[in-house]
Amino acid sequence: MKKSLEHLNDLQKAELDILKVFISICQKYQLKYYLCGGSLLGAVRHKGFIPWDDDIDVAMPRPDFIKFKKIATNELPDYIYLSTYDTTGHVWLVPMLINKNTKFILNNAEEQKEVGAWMDILIIDGAPENQLSRYLFGIRYLCARMLYQLANFSKVVNLNKKRPFYEKLIIKFAQITRIEHILNSKKIAHWYDKVVQSYDYTDCNYVATFSGAAKMHEIIPKTYYGEGKQYTYEDIMVIGCSDYDNYLKHFYNEYMRFPPENERNRHNVTSKKFEPNI
């Protein structure tokens, strides 16, 4: 347990540094962002990291992310880079800021995946409001998402996660057929990206971070994000959702209650290399 905590502390330290760099760029260019997901829960419940959490999640409206992507290369320090689905070696739908001076091993998928300390940037897109539109959109979105997961199955699909029966069947299908070897990951990613941009962020009353774990349940009223408010996160102040209570209830129900210990390790991370930043 001590060794695992050392790995986690190394990872959290590097991730907090990434967050500070990201915030400084957002402030310089007046880009909107929100601490979200488990990181917002950590800010509300722990004033920082959830003790067992192994990543930082921020969300950016699509227009702000597009601006950030354009300036990232020139504004990020040499040891941090922006990695997206069109970056060589990137196998996730979520864009990430990655510290290349660090090396951690993710152990939950079939294949171990080596990655630098990371911070997730979940893009906020517009979402359909009425039920019929959501149903029709959901068919395209879930198909595109599932195919992308299958195309990168051995590297990204968490085999330690509790899943419903139909997802277990899909995983077994992928393991037997090795379908990832015949699917074109890049083409599917482009299709997925087009699907999630079907509804313009600025025109919608409902929005979603569709690359998040909750899939269609990611859809929430835009007012939950609002203009944002400040929260303490470790030794800094960050911007998070304005209506944190409804946001956290939507995703976590009784969010102040701690989960069972056997549900507290998300990525099963071990450290391979950790260097101080210069």
Side-chain angles (χ1 to χ4, degrees):
M1 177 62 73
K2 182 179 179 182
K3 188 174 181 181
S4 296
L5 288 175
E6 288 173 355
H7 298 324
L8 184 58
N9 290 337
D10 284 347
L11 182 57
Q12 290 178 345
K13 178 181 177 182
E15 289 171 347
L16 185 61
D17 173 71
I18 295 172
L19 177 62
K20 291 176 180 178
V21 170
F22 171 77
I23 290 174
S24 69
I25 296 172
C26 289
Q27 291 175 337
K28 179 179 178 179
Y29 288 92
Q30 297 183 315
L31 300 178
K32 187 174 289 187
Y33 79 91
Y34 304 89
L35 201 68
C36 67
S39 297
L40 181 62
L41 175 57
V44 171
R45 196 169 68 189
H46 304 274
K47 307 299 182 187
F49 282 100
I50 296 173
W52 54 89
D53 200 8
D54 54 18
D55 66 358
I56 292 178
D57 299 311
V58 300
M60 293 188 87
R62 175 72 66 173
D64 293 271
F65 178 76
I66 290 172
K67 294 175 185 176
F68 180 78
K69 189 175 181 180
K70 289 179 180 178
I71 64 176
T73 301
N74 293 327
E75 291 295 332
L76 290 169
D78 291 341
Y79 65 91
I80 297 175
Y81 66 96
L82 176 64
S83 185
T84 63
Y85 73 84
D86 49 2
T87 303
T88 300
H90 190 95
V91 295
W92 300 276
L93 289 170
V94 183
M96 297 175 177
L97 288 177
I98 297 178
N99 180 332
K100 64 183 180 184
N101 285 351
T102 59
K103 291 290 182 289
F104 293 87
I105 306 297
L106 305 183
N107 299 296
N108 278 345
E110 268 189 4
E111 296 180 12
Q112 290 186 333
K113 176 67 176 175
E114 182 178 288
V115 64
W118 72 93
M119 186 188 81
D120 291 339
I121 304 178
L122 292 93
I123 303 172
I124 310 172
D125 283 303
E129 190 161 347
N130 69 69
Q131 291 302 312
L132 178 59
S133 296
R134 285 191 187 183
Y135 175 77
L136 296 174
F137 168 83
I139 293 173
R140 291 187 297 135
Y141 157 68
L142 293 172
C143 284
R145 179 175 171 133
M146 181 185 67
L147 283 174
Y148 187 81
Q149 296 288 92
L150 290 175
N152 297 282
F153 175 80
S154 61
K155 299 179 181 67
V156 304
V157 175
N158 186 344
L159 299 180
N160 299 322
K161 180 181 176 181
K162 289 184 178 179
R163 296 181 181 276
F165 179 70
Y166 73 91
E167 288 190 4
K168 292 179 180 178
L169 285 179
I170 294 172
I171 287 174
K172 183 60 66 176
F173 169 78
Q175 290 173 323
I176 293 172
T177 63
R178 311 315 300 179
I179 192 173
E180 66 185 301
H181 298 304
I182 62 173
L183 294 174
N184 188 314
S185 177
K186 293 298 182 186
K187 286 185 178 180
I188 296 169
H190 282 295
W191 176 42
Y192 171 88
D193 203 42
K194 184 177 180 180
V195 169
V196 296
Q197 294 186 62
S198 298
Y199 293 83
D200 188 85
Y201 169 85
T202 57
D203 297 333
C204 292
N205 295 319
Y206 285 81
V207 295
T209 49
F210 286 114
S211 56
K215 303 182 182 71
M216 288 295 287
H217 191 64
E218 295 282 338
I219 297 175
I220 59 174
K222 189 189 285 186
T223 54
Y224 288 5
Y225 286 105
E227 291 303 310
K229 60 180 291 187
Q230 288 197 325
Y231 298 84
T232 299
Y233 196 82
E234 300 298 331
D235 60 347
I236 59 174
M237 298 301 293
V238 300
I239 302 298
C241 301
S242 294
D243 188 353
Y244 77 86
D245 184 55
N246 277 318
Y247 177 93
L248 293 176
K249 283 177 180 176
H250 177 84
F251 288 104
Y252 304 105
N253 296 318
E254 297 181 30
Y255 58 84
M256 296 303 287
R257 178 181 295 178
F258 285 17
E261 288 192 19
N262 63 350
E263 296 179 11
R264 296 183 184 182
N265 188 354
R266 294 184 56 201
H267 294 102
N268 192 16
V269 175
T270 53
S271 176
K272 184 174 182 181
K273 172 185 174 187
F274 184 82
E275 298 176 358
N277 300 316
I278 299 174

